[in-house]
Amino acid sequence: MSMKKLMQERAAAKQGQGGFTLIELLIVVAIIGILAAIAVPQYQGYVARSANSACLGEAASVARLAEAESLQTTPDFTQIAAFGWDACDATTLAPATIANGTFTIDADAPGTQTVTCTNGGCALP
């Protein structure tokens, strides 16, 4: 077999291997779509749970501060009212003046749950 004929056969063989077929590309796109349909709701759930946990931690810190201030001889609740809530959307502190460590903090977490702190202990429902 001559060198010229061998090179012609190799060139002819390479022409048939131009790339992926349309059906192969469609199968890959379908697989990626299925994976995305599963992953996006899971990711949203993770984000909501982490937002709830962040709000819970923040509310617990404020509850400890409120409890410590209520036990002082001259409590100063202005720092509680001025607390910058970063992880919680909306908060309420009841009663407005805390006496003997008895209070309730309700904080709306971005993950659609409400953190409730009563007398220093905080929990998600």
Side-chain angles (χ1 to χ4, degrees):
M1 183 178 274
S2 72
M3 184 63 120
K4 186 176 181 181
K5 187 170 182 166
L6 184 61
M7 290 178 72
Q8 286 174 346
E9 286 177 12
R10 282 190 180 175
K14 281 188 177 182
Q15 273 185 339
Q17 298 176 358
F20 297 109
T21 64
L22 181 60
I23 192 72
E24 290 171 333
L25 293 175
L26 288 175
I27 289 171
V28 169
V29 168
I31 291 171
I32 291 172
I34 291 168
L35 291 175
I38 294 169
V40 168
Q42 289 291 325
Y43 175 73
Q44 290 171 338
Y46 294 141
V47 169
R49 282 196 300 275
S50 68
N52 288 338
S53 296
C55 184
L56 176 64
E58 191 172 66
S61 296
V62 173
R64 284 191 294 277
L65 175 66
E67 187 173 17
E69 278 299 320
S70 70
L71 298 175
Q72 297 294 324
T73 54
T74 56
D76 179 20
F77 296 108
T78 57
Q79 46 185 321
I80 296 170
F83 183 79
W85 293 87
D86 293 327
C88 300
D89 288 338
T91 57
T92 57
L93 174 62
T97 57
I98 301 169
N100 299 324
T102 303
F103 63 93
T104 301
I105 296 174
D106 287 326
D108 293 335
T112 69
Q113 289 188 335
T114 300
V115 176
T116 302
C117 301
T118 305
N119 299 339
C122 295
L124 285 165

